[in-house]
Amino acid sequence: MATEVSPKDAVELTSSSASYSPDNPAPLIEPPRARTRRTPRSTRTNFELYGWLFMRLSGVVLVVLVIGHLLIQLVLDGGVTKVGFAFVAGRWASPFWQYWDLAMLWLAMLHGGNGLRTIINDYAEQPNTRVWLKTILFTAVAFTIALGSLVIFTFDPNIR
Amino acid sequence: MSTPTLDKHSSALDAAEVTGTHLIAITLRVRRFNPEVSAEAEWVDYQIQVDPKERVLDALHKVKWEIDGSLTFRRSCAHGVCGSDAMRINGKNRLACKTLIKDVSPEKPITVEAIKGMTVLKDLVVDMDPFFQAYRDVMPFLITTGNEPTRERLQSAADRERFDDTTKCILCAACTSSCPVFWNDGQYFGPAAIVNAHRFIFDSRDEGGEQRLEILNDKDGVWRCRTTFNCTDACPRGIEVTKAIQEVKRALITRRF
Ligand code: HEM
Ligand code: SF4
Ligand code: FES
C-alpha cells in the first residue's frame, strides 16, 4: 500500500524547551487533585445525601414560591410600576405573605448557598482556597438570612 | 485483508475485495507529548492513506509502523475487549479499535488525544493509577459471610438480570475521563468505580452491599454526580452508566427513608 509520508519537520517535537532530556524530563501534565491510596478520607456522615435531597425538595418548593412572587410583583395588577413602599407594607401586613417571603428567603439562600458550595468543591484546588471560599460563602448566607428574617418580622409600616 | 480459503472467488467476493482496498487520504492530527523533549504538548499532523472501513487504531498503527515509531499509545486486544485504547477522537471519548475512519468525518483532520483528567505520561498514554485506585476503593469483589458453600452459589435469572448491564464494563476509563466533575476534581470516585460497585451491590449473592453503599455515600461518592450523561454517551460497551449511578443514589435514599 502506498504511503504518503508527511514532511519530516512536522514529526519532530522541537518546542521552546530543547533542554529536556531523558535525564531531565519536563513536568508531566497533571490534572487537579488526583486520587491516591490515602485520599479522600472517609467522613461517614449522611451530609451529602441530605444536601442532595434538599436541593431537589427546595427546588420544587421554590418553583411555586418564585413563580408566585414574580407574578405578584411583576405581572399581575399593573406590573412592576405598582411596587413601592406602600405595596410592600400592604403585603407584609398579612402573616401569609410574611411567611411566604420568609420561606423564599431561607430556601433560596440555603439552596443557592449549597449550590455554590458544590461549585467551590468542583473548582477550588487548594485546601486553603476551599476553606476560605466556603467561609466567605457561609458568612454571606448567614448574614443575608439573618438580616432578611429580621426585616420581615420587625418591619414598621409607619417608619416615615 | 485476510485470504479466504475458497477455491474460486465468487464475483461478489471479487467486488468486495476491489472496494475493500479503496484508499482515501486522511489527516490524523495527534496531540503529542514527550516530557523528554518538551514541557508542552503539541498537535502533529500525519497525512496517510487508509481504507475508510478501517479503524482509527489501524491509522495509528500505520503512523507508528511506517512514519514515526516514537508515537506512543496503548492497545492490546484491538477488538474492544481489553479496554486499553480509550482516547479522545474528534473530541469524544471512544475506543480507537472500535471507531471506523468513515464514522469520524475523514474529509476533515481527525483529532486524536489522550483522555482528559489523568496525568499524561507520553502522547496518548495516561497514568491510570488514580482510576484503578477508585476502582479498588469500592471493593469490586464478592463479599460473603459464613462458611463457603460446597456447591455453586445459585441465582435466579431475574436476579442475574438485575445487574447485567454493569457486568459489561471493561475498565477503559472512557466514562470517568468524560465526566466534568472528575476533570476538575479527581477525588470523585468517577462513573467507572460506581458502575463496578453497582455490579456487586445489586448481586443477590453478595453481602457487601452495605459497605459499598456507605463508601459511595461519602463526600466524593455518588452525590457529586450532576447527571450530565457524558459517561453514558462515552461508554463503548453501551452501559447505561448514568442510570446505574442513579440506581445507587436511589438505593441510598431508600435505605435511609
Ligand atoms: C426555581 C426553582 C429551582 C429549582 C427547581 C432548582 C433546582 C435545582 C437542583 C435540582 C439543583 C441540583 C443540581 C445538581 O445537583 O445537579 C440545583 C442547583 C443549584 N441551584 Fe437551583 N433550583 C431553583 C432555584 C434556584 C435559585 C433561586 C437559586 C439561587 C439563589 C439557585 C441556585 C442554584 C445553584 C448555585 C446550584 C448549583 C449548580 C450546580 O450544581 O452546578 N437555584 N438547583
Ligand atoms: S462503564 Fe463503559 S466507559 Fe466506563 S470504564 Fe466501563 S466500559 Fe469503559
Ligand atoms: S485494544 Fe483492547 S479495547 Fe481497544
Side-chain angles (χ1 to χ4, degrees):
Chain A
M1 280 194 255
T3 314
E4 263 180 52
V5 180
S6 65
K8 257 232 140 22
D9 58 333
V11 179
E12 248 147 63
L13 285 164
T14 44
S15 188
S16 49
S17 37
S19 62
Y20 292 116
S21 70
D23 299 324
N24 178 34
L28 294 173
I29 303 170
E30 294 201 50
R33 293 164 52 84
R35 172 180 285 261
T36 66
R37 196 182 281 271
R38 262 161 293 137
T39 62
R41 280 206 314 278
S42 112
T43 54
R44 304 184 73 76
T45 66
N46 285 312
F47 184 75
E48 298 295 334
L49 182 154
Y50 290 125
W52 187 89
L53 260 186
F54 172 74
M55 288 309 266
R56 275 132 254 269
L57 298 179
S58 61
V60 171
V61 181
L62 276 169
V63 171
V64 179
L65 292 179
V66 171
I67 292 181
H69 178 79
L70 291 177
L71 277 179
I72 293 163
Q73 300 285 109
L74 307 178
V75 181
L76 302 177
D77 205 12
V80 71
T81 46
K82 68 173 182 294
V83 177
F85 188 90
F87 182 74
V88 175
R91 281 189 70 202
W92 275 353
S94 143
F96 178 80
W97 294 116
Q98 274 186 323
Y99 281 103
W100 181 293
D101 282 4
L102 188 77
M104 205 165 59
L105 170 75
W106 277 72
L107 289 180
M109 285 313 293
L110 293 178
H111 177 102
N114 191 39
L116 283 179
R117 186 186 69 90
T118 309
I119 292 170
I120 293 171
N121 279 340
D122 277 349
Y123 289 103
E125 289 174 23
Q126 305 299 327
N128 270 339
T129 325
R130 291 173 159 238
V131 169
W132 274 109
L133 287 175
K134 284 185 203 170
T135 310
I136 296 170
L137 175 70
F138 180 79
T139 317
V141 169
F143 177 76
T144 313
I145 290 182
L147 187 67
S149 310
L150 184 77
V151 169
I152 291 177
F153 287 118
T154 60
F155 177 75
D156 176 8
N158 307 315
I159 200 161
R160 278 189 281 191
Chain B
M1 298 291 118
S2 58
T3 324
T5 49
L6 288 174
D7 291 340
K8 218 170 60 179
H9 277 196
S10 69
S11 55
L13 188 58
D14 280 338
E17 281 190 348
V18 170
T19 50
T21 52
H22 176 72
L23 299 184
I24 58 166
I26 63 159
T27 302
L28 201 62
R29 180 167 289 170
V30 186
R31 188 159 192 265
R32 300 206 53 185
F33 171 68
N34 182 351
E36 295 178 355
V37 175
S38 165
E40 280 130 59
E42 63 177 12
W43 291 97
V44 181
D45 282 4
Y46 298 96
Q47 263 82 37
I48 49 173
Q49 301 277 329
V50 293
D51 182 333
K53 293 192 294 304
E54 285 189 309
R55 305 153 307 165
V56 173
L57 182 65
D58 299 308
L60 287 167
H61 277 152
K62 210 171 170 59
V63 172
K64 185 172 177 69
W65 294 339
E66 296 172 15
I67 302 177
D68 182 352
S70 74
L71 178 66
T72 307
F73 53 89
R74 287 194 179 108
R75 71 99 176 83
S76 183
C77 69
H79 290 85
V81 181
C82 70
S84 309
D85 62 342
M87 47 187 83
R88 247 177 147 219
I89 301 167
N90 281 356
K92 204 173 165 240
N93 282 1
R94 310 168 199 248
L95 295 179
C97 64
K98 280 183 80 174
T99 307
L100 299 187
I101 300 281
K102 70 179 176 61
D103 294 334
V104 287
S105 329
E107 62 285 356
K108 288 180 281 184
I110 299 167
T111 64
V112 179
E113 56 193 305
I115 46 179
K116 276 181 77 164
M118 284 175 240
T119 307
V120 181
L121 299 178
K122 187 177 180 187
D123 294 343
L124 305 176
V125 174
V126 298
D127 177 8
M128 299 278 280
D129 279 359
F131 174 79
F132 285 114
Q133 188 60 53
Y135 175 57
R136 284 188 200 99
D137 288 348
V138 299
M139 307 191 290
F141 37 79
L142 187 77
I143 298 175
T144 57
T145 52
N147 293 332
E148 231 170 87
T150 51
R151 49 196 282 276
E152 189 185 347
R153 294 173 200 273
L154 291 177
Q155 182 169 51
S156 73
D159 283 347
R160 176 62 180 71
E161 184 59 31
R162 180 68 192 84
F163 60 95
D164 186 64
D165 203 30
T166 46
T167 61
K168 296 173 187 157
C169 177
I170 56 173
L171 293 170
C172 65
C175 54
T176 295
S177 63
S178 75
C179 174
V181 176
F182 182 79
W183 293 338
N184 287 316
D185 188 351
Q187 297 286 305
Y188 172 43
F189 272 92
I194 301 172
V195 160
N196 287 283
H198 179 287
R199 150 75 185 81
F200 288 97
I201 290 170
F202 295 98
D203 186 336
S204 61
R205 299 163 297 187
D206 184 88
E207 293 165 39
E210 271 298 306
Q211 288 175 60
R212 294 192 192 87
L213 285 174
E214 199 53 58
I215 291 169
L216 291 176
N217 191 30
D218 222 313
K219 63 181 193 304
D220 290 296
V222 285
W223 307 117
R224 294 204 72 170
C225 165
R226 312 277 264 288
T227 330
T228 54
F229 282 96
N230 280 17
C231 47
T232 299
D233 286 346
C235 182
R237 304 303 312 268
I239 298 171
E240 293 179 283
V241 183
T242 312
K243 185 176 169 203
I245 300 175
Q246 293 305 116
E247 284 175 358
V248 175
K249 286 180 189 165
R250 181 170 304 165
L252 277 165
I253 302 255
T254 48
R255 186 181 72 139
R256 195 77 355 237
F257 298 99

